[in-house]
């Protein structure tokens, strides 16, 4: 098979090329959009990342070009119209599992950087201003940390927080027995919002979770709490978040994802003016740390993603069942379980 890998970067190419395969892999750094879909002409399959457009319109165009397989290099699939793909007879697979520790550890790193004001301290150091008056943080030990979503990444984050000596609360429609056995206490969303000093988001983006952190829910959060998001940007209402930060209600925000990141993250905009007023405003807060969706970016995780992507391709090319294949039915079940 001929496979075009959209939104590919050096780490993608290195990991995929290293894997043994009989398929011909071609790479482009360009995102899949209506304007770039023509690049897939002559290919049997495409591989997409979270920044790519897998809408029904684009899938129709891919199908017209002869593409029959869509290989996602991500666990999330909210950027792909699974129902449309199924209707067209296109097979889609994702990577449901790769190092959950990569994202969990990144969330912890961001938390500690914001809480202990590491970046501000470094900036002062470079200015030779060695005063520490503005760098006060708080102990994680003894605090209450909330986890929204206790899949593998959420549980990995909870385990680290337990190791810090924090009390861990969780909200998830489907409580996990392993998490309970490790001391995680499940409660209502309202209880978690009002009681937690730190809240970390690890749930998928779906209708029920879009803008879960709305104006109302952000107001319900404990004053001075830190909010972490390494899942999907739209789980937080960006405008509401800005208002909460500007009002001094939230103590800080750690964002590895951003509601309007498509077309912004993973691209070089060095010589361009940023026209996203919300993003500019978020960057202006000293108590906000933003990284460009790099939580997954460890050698371990990238190699696992590459291996699973090619295994999915092998299953498809040999007309075999694939446990990672996405169908409307499977998506609905996953949404109920997350």
């Amino acid at each position: 098979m001929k496979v075009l890998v959209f939104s590919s970067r050096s780490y993608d190419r290195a990991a995929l090329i290293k894997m043994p395969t009989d398929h011909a892999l071609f790479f482009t750094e360009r995102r899949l959009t209506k304007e770039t879909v023509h690049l897939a002409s002559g290919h049997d399959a495409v591989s997409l990342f979270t920044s790519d457009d897998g809408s029904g319109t684009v899938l129709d165009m891919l199908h017209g070009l002869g593409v029959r397989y869509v290989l996602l290099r991500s666990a999330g699939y909210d950027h792909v119209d699974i129902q449309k793909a199924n209707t067209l007879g296109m097979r889609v697979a994702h990577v449901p599992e790769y190092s959950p520790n990569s994202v969990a550890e990144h969330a912890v790193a961001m938390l500690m950087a914001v809480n202990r004001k590491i970046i501000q301290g470094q900036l002062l150091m470079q200015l030779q201003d060695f005063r520490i008056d503005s760098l006060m943080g708080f102990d994680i030990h003894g605090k209450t940390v909330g986890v929204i979503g206790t899949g593998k990444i959420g549980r990995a984050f909870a385990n680290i927080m337990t190791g810090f000596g924090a009390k861990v609360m969780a909200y998830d429609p489907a409580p996990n027995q392993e998490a309970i056995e490790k001391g995680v206490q499940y409660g209502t969303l309202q209880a978690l919002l009002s009681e937690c000093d730190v809240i970390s988001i690890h749930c998928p983006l779906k209708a029920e979770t879009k803008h879960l952190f709305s104006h109302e829910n952000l107001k319900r959060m404990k004053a001075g709490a830190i909010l972490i998001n390494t899942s999907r940007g739209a789980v937080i209402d960006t405008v509401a978040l800005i208002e909460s930060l500007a009002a001094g209600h939230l103590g800080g925000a750690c964002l590895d994802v951003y509601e309007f990141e498509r077309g912004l993250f993973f691209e070089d905009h060095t010589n361009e003016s940023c026209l996203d007023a919300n993003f500019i405003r978020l960057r202006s807060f000293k108590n906000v740390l933003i990284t460009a969706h790099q939580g997954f970016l460890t050698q371990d995780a990238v190699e696992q993603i590459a291996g699973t992507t090619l295994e999915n391709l092998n299953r498809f090319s040999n007309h075999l069942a694939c446990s990672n294949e996405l169908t409307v039915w499977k998506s609905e079940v996953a949404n109920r379980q997350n």
Side-chain angles (χ1 to χ4, degrees):
M1 281 195 187
K2 293 177 66 177
V3 184
L4 180 59
V5 183
F6 279 96
S7 297
S8 63
R9 297 293 182 263
S10 57
Y11 51 84
D12 283 308
R13 293 191 290 272
L16 286 165
I17 290 172
K18 188 166 69 172
M19 300 291 168
T21 181
D22 295 326
H23 304 287
L25 302 179
F26 301 87
F27 300 91
T28 177
E29 291 192 0
R30 300 181 71 180
R31 292 190 303 120
L32 173 61
T33 65
K34 288 184 289 186
E35 289 70 37
T36 62
V37 68
H38 67 276
L39 297 173
S41 179
H43 295 81
D44 307 288
V46 293
S47 179
L48 311 184
F49 194 55
T50 57
S51 53
D52 292 305
D53 181 359
S55 64
T57 300
V58 173
L59 290 177
D60 259 330
M61 297 170 76
L62 285 171
H63 188 267
L65 293 172
V67 174
R68 295 296 179 264
Y69 305 105
V70 179
L71 307 160
L72 307 183
R73 303 192 308 282
S74 61
Y77 47 87
D78 52 278
H79 56 302
V80 179
D81 188 335
I82 302 301
Q83 183 171 359
K84 182 65 173 181
N86 290 173
T87 301
L88 292 170
M90 300 173 75
R91 298 183 71 179
V92 183
H94 67 148
V95 182
E97 296 182 12
Y98 56 87
S99 175
N101 300 302
S102 62
V103 180
E105 290 173 6
H106 189 74
V108 175
M110 294 185 78
L111 167 62
M112 298 310 296
V114 167
N115 175 34
R116 302 306 299 270
K117 300 176 176 57
I118 303 299
I119 295 175
Q120 289 171 249
Q122 178 66 12
L123 290 173
L124 289 174
M125 185 72 64
Q126 291 172 341
L127 294 171
Q128 298 198 98
D129 182 349
F130 304 112
R131 293 172 296 173
I132 62 173
D133 309 62
S134 62
L135 305 179
M136 183 75 74
F138 59 81
D139 289 1
I140 299 298
H141 181 92
K143 297 299 186 293
T144 302
V145 175
V147 181
I148 306 288
T150 50
K152 290 194 174 183
I153 296 173
R155 296 202 305 275
F157 179 83
N159 289 341
I160 298 172
M161 290 295 98
T162 299
F164 270 71
K167 172 187 174 183
V168 179
M169 293 179 63
Y171 171 72
D172 193 313
N176 181 274
Q177 186 58 39
E178 179 185 333
I180 294 172
E181 291 171 357
K182 292 191 174 182
V184 174
Q185 300 177 24
Y186 282 86
T188 65
L189 177 61
Q190 302 311 317
L192 188 141
L193 292 172
S194 63
E195 296 178 30
C196 291
D197 304 284
V198 175
I199 295 178
S200 191
I201 303 170
H202 299 286
C203 62
L205 177 61
K206 50 187 179 179
E208 305 92 285
T209 60
K210 183 174 182 180
H211 287 184
L212 178 66
F213 282 82
S214 58
H215 287 274
E216 293 75 17
N217 281 339
L218 286 167
K219 288 178 182 177
R220 293 185 177 108
M221 285 183 65
K222 189 174 182 179
I226 294 177
L227 181 61
I228 310 167
N229 189 9
T230 54
S231 60
R232 287 293 184 267
V235 176
I236 298 176
D237 182 332
T238 301
V239 173
L241 175 63
I242 290 171
E243 291 181 3
S244 182
L245 289 162
H249 180 64
L250 278 185
C254 308
L255 308 173
D256 185 49
V257 289
Y258 170 58
E259 185 174 4
F260 309 109
E261 69 180 54
R262 184 170 292 174
L264 178 65
F265 286 5
F266 308 112
E267 307 286 343
D268 182 0
H269 298 284
T270 304
N271 297 315
E272 303 172 15
S273 297
C274 182
L275 301 179
D276 186 333
N278 289 323
F279 188 70
I280 294 170
R281 185 73 174 103
L282 278 175
R283 287 191 312 190
S284 72
F285 291 105
K286 290 183 178 180
N287 56 345
V288 173
L289 175 59
I290 306 174
T291 53
H293 208 139
Q294 71 180 71
F296 75 98
L297 195 59
T298 66
Q299 182 176 342
D300 310 75
V302 169
E303 289 182 354
Q304 288 173 32
I305 290 170
T308 302
T309 299
L310 290 180
E311 176 57 28
N312 291 339
L313 176 60
N314 289 335
R315 303 291 296 182
F316 284 168
S317 66
N318 290 302
H319 306 289
L320 299 173
C322 176
S323 61
N324 300 325
E325 185 167 4
L326 293 167
T327 63
V328 174
W329 176 83
K330 187 173 180 180
S331 299
E332 290 175 349
V333 170
N335 282 340
R336 288 196 297 269
Q337 291 176 339
N338 283 301

